[in-house]
Amino acid sequence: MTDMNPDGHRVGCPCCSPYLWGVTRPHEPGLSRRGFFGAGAALTATALSVLSGKKADAAGISALAFAAPAFTTGETRRDKADAAGTTLYRGGIIRTMNEKMPLAGAVAVRGGRILAVGSEEDVTARAGSDARIVDLGGRTMLPGFIDCHGHICITALLMGFRNLAPKPAGPIGSIRDIQRELAIYRDETNGGRGGWLLGANYDDSLLEEKRAITRSDLDEISTEQPILVYHASLHVVVVNSCALSLLGISAETPDPQGGVIRRWPGTREPNGILEEGAITLALPRLPQPTPEELLDLLDKVQGQYAAWGITTAQDGATRRPDYDLLTLAASRDRLRLDVVAYPFFTHMDDLASGDIEMRRDYNGLKFGGVKLMLDGSPQAKTAWLTEPYEVVPAGFSSDYSGYRIVDDETAAKLVDDAFERGWQVYAHCNGDAAADQFIGAIAKATEKHGLSDRRSTVIHAQTLREDQLDLMKKLGVMPSYFVSHTFYWGDWHRDSVLGARRGARISPVRSTIDRGMRYTLHNDSPVVPSDCRMLLWSATNRKTRSDKILGPEQRITAHEALRGITLDAAYQHFEDDIKGSIEEGKLADLVILEEDPETVAVDTLRDLTVVETIKRGETIFRV
């Protein structure tokens, strides 16, 4: 990080991301901000396009209008659901998330939708004598869980890599564990993918050794085949000596613009760590999955989501390769879950010139609006705060408080354009300064266009202040909280990122509820797994990895946490008329748990047992 100007480009900025640097440069003379972002519509995903088997095509940058997906003829999964018979569920605890009828004795499902909800006697009569009877056996039925912010396409891509995440998201506690897992990957894949050993989600801050891995650590696995490991942030990769040689990276190789080749101290010799723009030196040489392999990876992710009780997923910053994968899956009837996509803001003009209709269901794929990015991440100390970091990164002044991604004028224009087109707008705002920028842009656009039911959403919302929540309520803006941060990085936030006072307020869900506001909870996969049980546990306990409670006054009840992944999550997607609660006429999206989350000890919520997940009346997971 060499640019000390908080208004400039740095780590975490999409302009400076390694996905772009191989093709164009933000600081090149003659390239306007608008022109750069226009080019970025295709190129922000260079890294992902390599993995999806697509090369960046500079000649095609200006021809990326999003077209409605075309579908093959034939009966789809949803057609079959619409034609299905009647199933009656009874004999358990049915929590509807409908305030008018919180508990029900039975539920009848027909044609993929809920036919009746109520007493067992009434529902049995409506279901008819030919209904299939399912005895819940005392288990608990709830509406299907909704992943209201995540990145299912990136998650699918990384499923082809060895999982090197720290416990409990993965098996890693030490560098030795990383070496062991990559060796297992080599054996299980008969030498890796295309001759490469590939790993993802390693996090040096949680290793026993408390240091970053280098080429020397990877060389202990092999010096004869290339190895590449992605950091959990996706902003750093580590390669071994064989890969460095294959890539032509040596002591004479200069740092690429916007990137850093880390060196051994006191020398020019690369140590294997490639940051930001330097990642593009490696990505073009990686093996490329075929579209069929990508569909298989997406199937695998959907199976994992279904095992966690999720019936609706999100792709929360869709770029062109993600669009291609999702539309291909929809056309092949491979979407077992519903997916709501929010294209990245660099695609706004593309969307406007295409024929994609927002919030229309394309065989399980829906486009909800657009996603802005206004700052970085708190754990990486790139979120834009109004007060300095508790411990500033090395090399920065004591008043360092992160940085913005776009200026206020650009943010206001992006929001105004979304309002003008009637699109819902999400904004990634981890820091309270970024939230100030977004709320200010919303206020300005609202003054011009008037109040309306737009459901604009602050994504992550980690450091929202009380005064900001007051303004958000007035403007009808929702927060979506990455509340599992309290566990995964809670100690880090308290001790190094925000300090005790601000750290205790991270993800202020209780403050939101006390104002009568709607809110959602999310995991932001692949940053952490999209296991909604972890959200329930984190929101109710707020325990860190060291078993300390971070901000006990912000804890909420299990029922309130469930709202954040069911009814309010459906509301955020403009789907509360068909999802989020067990009510007559809504989709039969259901999950059956062994335990009742509202009566078990809150400390056990992350250990709930998902017995069955039902999508439009079809069982998509069963133990």
Side-chain angles (χ1 to χ4, degrees):
M1 293 187 291
T2 58
D3 182 354
M4 295 300 184
N5 177 4
D7 294 331
H9 303 273
R10 284 217 300 273
V11 178
C13 172
C15 307
C16 299
S17 109
Y19 307 153
L20 284 172
W21 279 102
V23 185
T24 189
R25 305 287 193 266
H27 299 299
E28 276 185 353
L31 184 62
S32 68
R33 179 180 293 272
R34 181 177 179 83
F36 174 74
F37 279 128
L43 307 175
T44 49
T46 296
L48 299 182
S49 69
V50 170
L51 290 174
S52 62
K54 299 190 176 189
K55 299 286 187 181
D57 181 2
I61 287 171
S62 61
L64 285 180
F66 281 57
F71 298 105
T72 56
T73 57
E75 189 178 38
T76 68
R77 182 184 300 272
R78 286 157 182 79
D79 293 332
K80 294 175 182 176
D82 291 343
T86 303
T87 300
L88 173 68
Y89 296 92
R90 67 185 186 191
I93 300 166
I94 300 172
R95 294 197 177 276
T96 68
M97 302 308 296
N98 173 12
E99 293 181 356
K100 296 179 180 179
M101 186 193 297
L103 291 169
V107 175
V109 171
R110 178 185 296 165
R113 289 186 177 264
I114 296 170
L115 173 68
V117 185
S119 69
E120 185 172 338
E121 181 181 6
D122 290 343
V123 172
T124 300
R126 291 192 59 186
S129 59
D130 60 345
R132 179 174 73 96
I133 308 297
V134 175
D135 185 355
L136 293 173
R139 298 182 176 96
T140 300
M141 172 178 279
L142 290 159
F145 298 151
I146 297 172
D147 171 32
C148 61
H149 183 69
H151 309 274
I152 193 170
C153 288
I154 298 175
T155 304
L157 289 165
L158 294 183
M159 289 291 282
F161 290 56
R162 190 69 177 182
N163 180 21
L164 302 178
K167 300 172 182 178
I172 303 303
S174 68
I175 293 174
R176 294 183 301 279
D177 293 337
I178 291 175
Q179 294 167 335
R180 182 196 68 239
E181 288 298 317
L182 286 172
I184 294 172
Y185 174 76
R186 176 178 56 200
D187 295 340
E188 290 181 350
T189 57
N190 296 317
R193 172 178 288 174
W196 285 71
L197 301 185
L198 302 171
N201 297 320
Y202 117 84
D203 189 342
D204 53 309
S205 71
L206 295 170
L207 294 177
E208 288 179 6
E209 294 84 355
K210 300 299 180 185
R211 67 169 178 85
I213 60 173
T214 67
R215 78 184 202 185
S216 296
D217 300 303
L218 299 182
D219 283 349
E220 291 187 29
I221 305 166
S222 177
T223 57
E224 297 180 351
Q225 73 176 129
I227 303 173
L228 180 142
V229 170
Y230 251 114
H231 189 269
S233 68
L234 301 181
H235 287 277
V236 173
V237 300
V238 187
V239 296
N240 68 342
S241 296
C242 178
L244 285 171
S245 177
L246 183 66
L247 299 170
I249 300 174
S250 67
E252 287 71 41
T253 306
D255 288 349
Q257 189 170 1
V260 173
I261 301 170
R262 288 196 198 172
R263 322 277 176 167
W264 295 119
T267 77
R268 293 277 306 163
E269 189 66 27
N271 70 0
I273 300 174
L274 308 178
E275 296 182 0
E276 296 296 326
I279 298 175
T280 59
L281 300 175
L283 294 177
R285 301 298 297 271
L286 292 183
Q288 301 174 13
T290 67
E292 295 302 324
E293 288 172 328
L294 287 169
L295 285 173
D296 289 344
L297 290 171
L298 186 61
D299 285 346
K300 188 174 181 180
V301 172
Q302 291 183 85
Q304 189 176 69
Y305 277 36
W308 290 327
I310 295 171
T311 52
T312 296
Q314 190 190 101
D315 196 62
T318 305
R319 298 173 175 87
R320 188 56 192 245
D322 310 320
Y323 169 86
D324 290 340
L325 175 58
L326 290 172
T327 54
L328 178 62
S331 71
R332 298 274 190 89
D333 199 27
R334 297 277 287 266
L335 292 179
R336 292 195 290 160
L337 312 175
D338 286 344
V339 177
V340 185
Y342 286 80
F344 201 51
F345 69 95
T346 53
H347 288 301
M348 286 181 71
D349 290 341
D350 270 349
L351 288 164
S353 62
D355 61 357
I356 286 292
E357 184 179 337
M358 294 292 181
R359 296 199 288 275
R360 174 185 168 187
D361 191 319
Y362 297 95
N363 198 29
L365 173 62
K366 186 175 293 188
F367 294 87
V370 293
K371 166 75 178 296
L372 313 185
M373 180 174 285
L374 301 183
D375 73 340
S377 70
Q379 67 269 36
K381 298 188 179 180
T382 58
W384 184 25
L385 306 172
T386 56
E387 299 178 40
Y389 280 90
E390 180 75 3
V391 178
V392 301
F396 290 91
S397 62
S398 60
D399 62 350
Y400 172 75
S401 57
Y403 50 88
R404 71 183 77 202
I405 297 299
V406 300
D407 58 36
D408 291 348
E409 182 180 356
T410 301
K413 178 65 166 59
L414 290 167
V415 171
D416 184 74
D417 285 351
F419 277 29
E420 182 73 33
R421 291 164 172 158
W423 294 348
Q424 186 184 19
V425 58
Y426 277 27
H428 168 118
C429 303
N430 268 309
D432 61 332
D436 277 338
Q437 185 182 59
F438 185 51
I439 295 167
I442 292 285
K444 188 174 182 179
T446 300
E447 184 177 358
K448 176 180 176 181
H449 298 282
L451 277 170
S452 185
D453 183 17
R454 298 185 177 94
R455 305 183 197 181
S456 304
T457 303
V458 177
I459 296 296
H460 305 322
Q462 297 283 25
T463 55
L464 286 179
R465 306 185 309 265
E466 297 289 318
D467 63 299
Q468 290 176 322
L469 287 169
D470 290 337
L471 287 171
M472 289 168 61
K473 181 178 181 180
K474 181 179 178 181
L475 294 167
V477 179
M478 292 183 68
S480 182
Y481 292 113
F482 191 171
V483 72
S484 53
H485 254 261
T486 55
F487 171 76
Y488 288 106
W489 294 283
D491 294 318
W492 178 241
H493 290 318
R494 182 195 60 236
D495 299 336
S496 185
V497 178
L498 299 169
R501 174 180 57 85
R502 287 180 295 169
R505 275 191 50 80
I506 203 164
S507 293
V509 191
R510 171 54 60 197
S511 292
T512 307
I513 293 172
D514 289 347
R515 285 170 169 77
M517 297 171 64
R518 304 189 84 151
Y519 56 91
T520 63
L521 311 176
H522 68 264
N523 274 309
D524 198 26
S525 179
V527 177
V528 300
S530 284
D531 188 342
C532 290
R533 298 172 301 178
M534 193 66 182
L535 294 174
L536 299 178
W537 181 85
S538 295
T540 54
N541 290 276
R542 293 182 66 94
K543 286 186 177 180
T544 69
R545 287 180 180 271
S546 65
D547 208 35
K548 304 288 176 50
I549 297 176
L550 190 67
E553 66 280 357
Q554 291 296 338
R555 290 180 295 192
I556 63 176
T557 68
H559 179 79
E560 290 165 337
L562 284 167
R563 279 190 63 97
I565 59 172
T566 56
L567 187 57
D568 282 4
Y571 178 86
Q572 181 183 299
H573 282 160
F574 279 90
E575 292 192 319
D576 50 309
D577 59 330
I578 59 170
K579 296 177 183 175
S581 60
I582 302 175
E583 297 184 59
E584 183 175 331
K586 289 193 174 185
L587 294 178
D589 291 359
L590 307 164
V591 60
I592 300 172
L593 305 177
E594 187 69 45
E595 308 86 2
D596 179 1
E598 295 202 28
T599 59
V600 298
V602 294
D603 198 43
T604 67
L605 286 171
R606 62 179 170 180
D607 301 316
L608 292 171
T609 305
V610 178
V611 175
E612 185 173 357
T613 304
I614 300 161
K615 175 64 189 164
R616 293 179 185 251
E618 175 195 5
T619 294
I620 60 173
F621 169 79
R622 182 185 287 125
V623 291

